[in-house]
Amino acid sequence: MDAYLIGWSHTAFGKLADDTLESLIVRAVQEAVSAARVDYEAIDEIVVGNFNSGFVPQGFPASLALQANPALQYKPATRVENACATGSAAILQGIRCIQSGAARLVLVVGAEKMTSAPPAEINRGLISASYVAEEAEAGSFAGLFGQIANNYFQRFGNQSDALARIAAKNHRNGAANSLAHMQKDLGYEFCRTVNDKNPLVAGPLRRTDCSTVSDGAAALIIAGSEIARQADKAVRIRSMVQVNDFLPMTRRDMTRLEGCSRAWRLALDGAGVQLTDLSFVETHDCFTIAELMEYEAMGLAGPGEGARVVFDGLTEPGGRLPVNLSGGLKAKGHPIGATGVSMHVMAAMQLTGEYTGIKARDPRLAGVFNMGGSGVANYVSILESAG
């Protein structure tokens, strides 16, 4: 059975001092249900994506979604977590509910409240998504990806300028996204220059190479084909694949994202399309080195050749395969539990002509890659305009 997205919502991302985890979830749910034009009573299943490793005191958030409307009382609600791929994990669970026939309508919401926590608590929570026995001494995920960047540079040469171009692209795209945390075009020269405003953070990674700590939520409604045919708008999920790799980085070649590569191959095969068929991609640029390596993993370039993709402009808005027209995690923001849902919502908005930022040309097929940990949990979705 096919699954479709028939309604979605997306709060602004940023430092949302007046919001709590509860208020973010409630607002995203209400707006998604309204956009889908469905009744709360018709929702069969609720899946909440939330990482929250000590960011806020409130745990056990699944039933917070019920606060959106009394008609949701007694609906089954489950919290899903898979590190930075939590949102995509929630979507995949929702899709499987539809495909199994267990539900006709599924509400998925991803949310995170991060900015009220002290930086040390944030780092402690994020590093818990590493292989703590060996990797906690890095102190932060920036530290881990700084190590990954060092390894990559040692094998393939210094790629700092390519990373700066990725950062500049995503900031330029994010400047046009009214929902983004950072809506400022910083420019290539600023991103490549190390100074007091753009210091080195870890290894060769500068501040502009690192995504932000953000608050935010996104939600969507998943339905089967029968309901989707009657919907005002629909985006077909042609395929969605999850591939998990070993947790310890010592068990993998960390100059390559092999789980990501395998997920892309399986998702494209499952959708019956090729990478060249895609109109655009939203990919997981938690750090610019990740986006560079993801170019290679998805098949745009061979190992160590991702910089060529950057300098040839293939992933720019006017390029052959625009990547992160939303600004990506780098500029849009990275509220952990919301990120995967946000990426799918941004893609759906592009495919239905709703997106008001930098638009893809003739958008028909979208690819979404969401990653948990250091290339450990890998989700690729292929989405298609059903209009």
Side-chain angles (χ1 to χ4, degrees):
M1 181 186 295
D2 288 338
Y4 293 79
L5 310 180
I6 64 167
W8 43 81
S9 68
H10 197 297
T11 73
F13 281 3
K15 188 172 183 178
L16 309 179
D18 294 333
D19 272 302
T20 63
L21 178 62
E22 179 179 341
S23 70
L24 288 167
I25 290 174
V26 167
R27 186 160 78 252
V29 168
Q30 290 173 338
E31 292 176 0
V33 172
S34 176
R37 299 182 183 275
V38 297
D39 295 328
Y40 285 94
E41 291 86 349
I43 293 170
D44 299 307
E45 189 91 16
I46 302 167
V47 190
V48 176
N50 177 241
F51 179 66
N52 186 23
S53 186
F55 302 147
V56 297
Q58 177 64 61
F60 189 42
S63 284
L64 291 178
L66 276 58
Q67 308 288 76
N69 190 280
L72 294 178
Q73 188 177 14
Y74 308 127
K75 304 285 186 183
T78 307
R79 178 236 184 169
V80 170
E81 181 273 315
N82 213 0
C84 297
T86 287
S88 289
I91 292 172
L92 185 55
Q93 180 162 315
I95 290 170
R96 286 172 173 165
C97 287
I98 296 294
Q99 292 176 333
S100 70
R104 298 177 72 245
L105 278 177
V106 177
L107 163 65
V108 175
V109 55
E112 209 73 60
K113 176 68 178 177
M114 302 178 70
T115 64
S116 56
E121 291 297 318
I122 295 170
N123 283 335
R124 187 176 299 116
L126 293 176
I127 203 68
S128 71
S130 71
Y131 184 54
V132 173
E134 295 177 355
E135 299 161 10
E137 63 184 19
S140 67
F141 251 83
L144 287 180
F145 274 86
Q147 293 175 13
I148 292 170
N150 273 329
N151 291 340
Y152 187 94
F153 287 11
Q154 287 169 11
R155 180 172 294 184
F156 301 118
N158 189 314
Q159 305 297 332
S160 292
D161 284 352
L163 300 190
R165 287 200 181 276
I166 291 171
K169 168 182 69 71
N170 291 349
H171 277 289
R172 186 168 61 252
N173 292 348
N177 183 355
S178 61
L179 298 172
H181 187 158
M182 300 183 71
Q183 298 177 34
K184 186 176 182 179
D185 183 355
L186 297 179
Y188 169 61
E189 286 302 323
F190 180 85
C191 292
R192 75 185 294 264
T193 303
V194 176
N195 55 33
D196 290 344
K197 293 183 178 179
N198 190 28
L200 289 171
V201 174
L205 300 180
R206 298 146 296 205
R207 181 177 290 164
T208 49
D209 293 311
C210 308
S211 59
T212 59
V213 172
S214 306
D215 307 325
L220 47 81
I221 306 294
I222 307 176
S225 54
E226 181 180 349
I227 292 177
R229 279 194 293 268
Q230 309 301 318
D232 292 342
K233 57 189 177 184
V235 169
R236 181 186 174 198
I237 303 164
R238 286 276 293 261
S239 68
M240 187 172 189
V241 168
Q242 175 187 356
V243 170
N244 270 56
D245 208 337
F246 290 121
L247 184 60
M249 294 199 301
T250 53
R251 297 200 64 178
R252 293 177 280 142
D253 176 357
M254 292 311 301
T255 64
R256 304 179 67 180
L257 296 174
E258 294 177 346
C260 172
S261 179
R262 183 174 180 82
W264 270 106
R265 291 196 305 270
L266 292 173
L268 290 167
D269 288 348
V273 300
Q274 298 179 359
L275 189 67
T276 52
D277 295 321
L278 300 184
S279 308
F280 65 95
V281 164
E282 286 287 318
T283 201
H284 193 100
D285 60 320
C286 50
F287 301 92
T288 54
I289 184 64
E291 181 166 332
L292 183 74
M293 294 169 68
E294 287 156 21
Y295 294 163
E296 299 168 13
M298 71 175 72
L300 283 176
E305 298 177 352
R308 178 177 54 78
V309 173
V310 176
F311 290 111
D312 287 350
L314 298 184
T315 57
E316 294 283 346
R320 191 177 77 208
L321 184 64
V323 173
N324 286 339
L325 291 170
S326 68
L329 285 58
K330 181 69 206 67
K332 175 164 57 73
H334 186 22
I336 307 299
T339 289
V341 182
S342 165
M343 299 169 87
H344 286 78
V345 169
M346 288 287 153
M349 292 171 71
Q350 286 277 9
L351 291 169
T352 55
E354 292 183 6
Y355 187 63
T356 58
I358 297 176
K359 297 179 182 291
R361 295 191 309 267
D362 190 26
R364 298 175 184 272
L365 280 172
V368 175
F369 172 66
N370 185 201
M371 176 173 71
S374 55
V376 176
N378 303 274
Y379 293 80
V380 173
S381 304
I382 307 298
L383 308 181
E384 178 182 36
S385 171

